Each structure stands twice: as structure tokens, then as C-alpha cells.
Amino acid sequence: PYKKIVTHGWTVDGEGKAMHKSAGNSVSPKEVVDVYGADILRLWVSSVDFTVDARISKDILKQLSEVYRKIRNTARILIGNLGTVETDFNPDTDMVEESKLPDIDKWVLARLNKLVRDVRAAYDNCQFHIVYHEISNFCTTEMSKLYIDISKDRTYVDKKDGLGRRAAQTTMYKVLSAITRLVSPILAFTAD
């Protein structure tokens, strides 16, 4: 009934030691969900290379929660810059043709297209840790450190229906749409 079956190594503590209740080094999935939420547990599963032993600890989960926060905040900033269909950007009427986009927008869309190709290939090959790293790097580097920072003036200062602002919103809409779809198998609640 299955097309693929994936097996994995042992789940070990942060130091690589086998987990045992008697040793006091076990991490309960329920505790992780209670503290961080189910999406963080899913993100941890996707972040590890399942072909080797998977390490988990409070420190690892804390680092993952920071990565999660970066992905979520990138989406939040994009949503904030789009406004609502009633008050600001309507993708049915306000999209700018790709040929009219500034070079920075074309660059981000080219990086997005590469991200989509790489992530889909990683999903197809059950390389979920590559999915995690690719999306994390894209949100941290291309979006947060570069594009969002560079586009602030166009989104906050330009006229509401000016070409520069609409071009940035078009790009942000496409990025948000793609990232939502790419993370949905892993971060189901966040994508929703």
C-alpha cells in the first residue's frame, strides 16, 4: 500500500547517548508539544538527517524555535506588507507583470524558483533535512537580510498604488504563496 518507506536511526540525547528514562535523558514528545507546539516537533523531525542517529535536547529545540520564529516572522512581515484585499493589495487586480519588475524583484523570484525546485526534489527524495535548511536559509538570507530590508522604502514610503510598491507587493505575494506551500507538509499549523 506504500510507494516509499523511510526508516531512521536511533533518537539520542544532545550528547549522542541513547535515551533512557532511568538515565533521565529522555525527551517526551508531549513535553515538547506542550512547551514549543507541534510545529516545532515537526520542524525538528525535518531538520535531522534520518539516515544517522537523531539528536534532540532542550538546547537543540531552543535553537529550532529560533529558526521557526525566523520563518514565521518572514511570513508575518510579508503578510503585513500586503495588507488585505479590501484595503491594499489585491492579487487579482494589482499584480505587476514580471517584465516590469525591478531587477531586485526579478532576482528574488529567480531565487524563489530555485528554492521551489530544490525543495520539491528534496521532498521527492525524502531528504527533509534539505527542505529545512533550504527554507531556513532563504527566509534568513534572501528575504530577511536582503530583500525585505531593501524593499522597506518602496513598501512604506511609495504611493499606495505606485509601481514600485505594487512591484514589491507582487514579489512578496508570490514568495509568501510559495513558502506557505513549501512548509505546509512540515509546519501544518503555521502554514494554515
Side-chain angles (χ1 to χ4, degrees):
Y2 305 104
K3 291 182 181 179
K4 287 184 184 178
I5 296 175
V6 176
T7 61
H8 56 82
W10 288 99
T11 302
V12 297
D13 69 10
E15 297 173 12
K17 297 177 185 172
M19 285 197 220
H20 297 286
K21 283 185 181 180
S22 60
N25 64 347
S26 63
V27 176
S28 163
K30 183 177 178 351
E31 289 175 17
V32 174
V33 170
D34 288 346
V35 173
Y36 294 103
D39 276 355
I40 297 295
L41 190 58
R42 290 185 184 106
L43 189 62
W44 169 76
V45 170
S46 72
S47 73
V48 296
D49 179 357
F50 64 82
T51 61
V52 296
D53 291 347
R55 292 178 184 231
I56 187 169
S57 69
K58 289 180 181 179
D59 289 338
I60 290 170
L61 291 168
K62 187 175 180 181
Q63 290 172 345
L64 278 170
S65 71
E66 291 301 317
V67 172
Y68 168 78
R69 201 169 287 119
K70 182 58 79 175
I71 294 169
R72 188 195 67 209
N73 285 342
T74 299
R76 185 181 57 80
I77 290 167
L78 296 176
I79 290 169
N81 282 313
L82 295 174
T84 64
V85 172
E86 295 82 21
T87 63
D88 195 357
F89 183 78
N90 183 338
D92 296 330
T93 59
D94 298 329
M95 296 283 272
V96 176
E97 292 178 33
E98 194 163 332
S99 63
K100 294 180 181 177
L101 293 176
D103 288 341
I104 186 68
D105 295 309
K106 290 178 184 176
W107 175 80
V108 166
L109 292 177
R111 298 294 298 153
L112 178 66
N113 288 336
K114 180 184 179 319
L115 174 73
V116 170
R117 275 192 313 273
D118 293 348
V119 167
R120 291 191 70 182
Y123 273 129
D124 289 344
N125 294 312
C126 298
Q127 294 178 319
F128 306 112
H129 62 290
I130 292 175
V131 171
Y132 161 81
H133 287 291
E134 291 292 327
I135 292 172
S136 171
N137 290 340
F138 181 80
C139 288
T140 302
T141 306
E142 279 88 354
M143 293 309 297
S144 293
K145 288 184 180 175
L146 295 171
Y147 183 75
I148 291 171
D149 193 48
I150 290 169
S151 299
K152 280 181 186 174
D153 288 343
R154 291 191 296 156
T155 56
Y156 299 131
V157 178
D158 279 8
K159 288 186 352 181
K160 186 174 183 179
D161 59 350
L163 180 62
R165 186 164 193 267
R166 290 294 188 220
Q169 287 178 313
T170 296
T171 303
M172 290 179 179
Y173 177 81
K174 289 180 178 184
V175 169
L176 179 64
S177 178
I179 287 178
T180 301
R181 287 171 173 76
L182 293 174
V183 302
S184 64
I186 298 169
L187 303 175
F189 295 124
T190 303
D192 188 49

